[in-house]
């Protein structure tokens, strides 16, 4: 079991690390982020979408509710800027959740 301080540090680190990834992908030349890749998730934005979907699934588990997903990714992904907005909402939820934790 982790303590409250560790949970707070991890949620903030995740938000920071995701920011680094999104910034790096956004800085690529036009078309590179959506360029087909030989990977499980087709392209870089779809890979970031997978990370977001898993965050939402775990949020639902922590809240004790259904998440509505039938897979660990969606067939398509939103544009990178919209996905970043959604990911930041997830970060805020996790940070708020960790701030409510007690040892």
């Amino acid at each position: 079991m982790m303590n409250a301080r560790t949970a707070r540090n991890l949620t903030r680190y995740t938000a920071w690390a995701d920011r680094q990834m999104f910034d790096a992908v956004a800085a690529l030349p036009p078309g590179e982020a959506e360029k087909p890749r030989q990977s499980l998730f087709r392209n870089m934005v779809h890979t970031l979408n997978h990370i977001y979907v898993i965050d939402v699934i775990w949020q639902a588990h922590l809240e004790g509710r259904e998440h509505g997903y039938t897979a660990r990714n969606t067939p398509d992904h939103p544009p990178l800027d919209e996905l970043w907005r959604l990911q930041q909402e997830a970060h805020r939820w996790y940070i708020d959740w960790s701030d409510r934790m007690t040892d």
Side-chain angles (χ1 to χ4, degrees):
M1 191 67 152
M2 79 173 65
N3 63 32
R5 181 178 179 187
T6 300
R8 289 182 192 108
N9 286 339
L10 289 173
T11 58
R12 285 162 174 80
Y13 175 79
T14 298
W16 173 85
D18 283 353
R19 177 62 185 232
Q20 302 305 305
M21 282 194 301
F22 272 84
D23 284 351
V25 171
L28 292 170
E32 283 298 312
E34 293 86 11
K35 181 179 176 181
R37 309 284 175 176
Q38 288 192 4
S39 70
L40 183 59
F41 298 119
R42 296 192 326 246
N43 63 51
M44 290 181 211
V45 179
H46 205 226
T47 300
L48 293 172
N49 190 68
H50 160 71
I51 294 167
Y52 167 72
V53 167
I54 297 304
D55 283 351
V56 172
I57 289 171
W58 276 107
Q59 176 186 350
H61 289 313
L62 291 169
E63 292 179 325
R65 62 174 175 80
E66 294 294 319
H67 49 74
Y69 288 99
T70 58
R72 59 187 174 192
N73 208 340
T74 55
D76 296 309
H77 58 77
L80 184 62
D81 59 340
E82 174 66 11
L83 182 57
W84 176 234
R85 186 189 65 74
L86 293 168
Q87 186 64 68
Q88 288 178 87
E89 288 177 10
H91 290 152
R92 281 190 292 277
W93 184 89
Y94 277 99
I95 289 168
D96 290 347
W97 172 81
S98 70
D99 286 347
R100 291 189 306 272
M101 289 185 73
T102 64
D103 287 334

